Structure formats: C-alpha cells, structure tokens
Amino acid sequence: MTGALGVRRPASVVVIAVLAFVAAALDLLVGGLVLAAGMISAAPSAFEVTLGIGAIIVGVAIIVVGVGLLRGNPVARVVTIVIESLSVVASILLIVLAPSSVGNVLPGLLIALLVVLLLFRPDVVRYFRGLAEDQPAGP
C-alpha cells in the first residue's frame, strides 16, 4: 500500500493506525454511554455531560490522527509521538505513586512504548518524509 506521498506504507504504520482506531472507538463508545446514562437519570450532572462530550471529541480527534498516519502526514506522526510519550510519563508516574496499579497501567504503558518505538523505525521515518525505500532516512 502507498500513502498520498506515493511511498510504500510500512506495516507498522497500519498497526499504529489500527490501535488508534480501536482507541477512538472505545472513546466514542464510552462518551456515548456516559451521555446516554446521564440522559436516563432525572438530571444529568455537568460532570457526566462534560465527560461524555470530552470522550467523543477525543475519539473524533484520534480518528483524524489515525487517518493522517495512514496518509503519511508528518504532523500526525508528531502528534502521536507527543501523545504516546505523555502517556508513557503518566503511566510511569502512576506506577510510582500507586504501585498497586501496575497490573492496570502496564498494558497501556507497553503499547505506548511500542507505538513510540515503531514511529522511529527507519522505514517509518522514510514514509513520513516521503522518501523511497532505497533513500536513507537521515538524522
């Protein structure tokens, strides 16, 4: 497969985009469920409404970034690196502050680390720079 740049898309970019789409679907589902639960109650709280709408907005944003990744948009790559790096830092802080949370936090930490590492692979860097497979990715 090739992106908009006409360069072959590495399989790892597809894996990252699929992970993004799964996360987006979960955000949209949670947001919708929170809003629905809030509407069922007599008077939804501002927190429920804000949480539901926020989760939906995050889900839509993740879909946009996932599409950008598949198209080879370098901004989508940078946004993903920043978000996943922040996720790594937050996960490590949570593990340090609440060691009993390791079982819950570790899977997300490992996925975030994997995504960041994949985004720095030479073939992925070449893809987002629009370079052919035989061209060096450079520094």
Side-chain angles (χ1 to χ4, degrees):
M1 293 210 169
T2 58
L5 301 173
V7 179
R8 183 175 164 81
R9 180 186 310 128
S12 53
V13 172
V14 176
V15 169
I16 294 166
V18 167
L19 288 172
F21 293 138
V22 169
L26 291 172
D27 283 331
L28 293 172
L29 178 66
V30 167
L33 289 174
V34 168
L35 284 177
M39 296 303 157
I40 291 173
S41 67
S45 71
F47 176 75
E48 289 171 328
V49 173
T50 303
L51 182 65
I53 292 172
I56 291 171
I57 290 170
V58 168
V60 170
I62 292 173
I63 290 171
V64 170
V65 170
V67 169
L69 289 169
L70 290 175
R71 291 185 175 171
N73 185 319
V75 174
R77 176 179 174 262
V78 171
V79 167
T80 304
I81 290 169
V82 169
I83 290 171
E84 295 300 334
S85 297
L86 290 173
S87 178
V88 167
V89 171
S91 296
I92 291 170
L93 284 174
L94 189 56
I95 290 171
V96 169
L97 296 174
S100 62
S101 69
V102 170
N104 296 329
V105 176
L106 193 58
L109 171 63
L110 294 176
I111 290 171
L113 280 171
L114 176 65
V115 167
V116 171
L117 291 174
L118 288 175
L119 287 170
F120 283 100
R121 288 176 41 120
D123 59 332
V124 173
V125 172
R126 275 193 297 275
Y127 173 69
F128 283 102
R129 290 185 180 169
L131 301 173
E133 292 178 23
D134 60 346
Q135 292 178 295

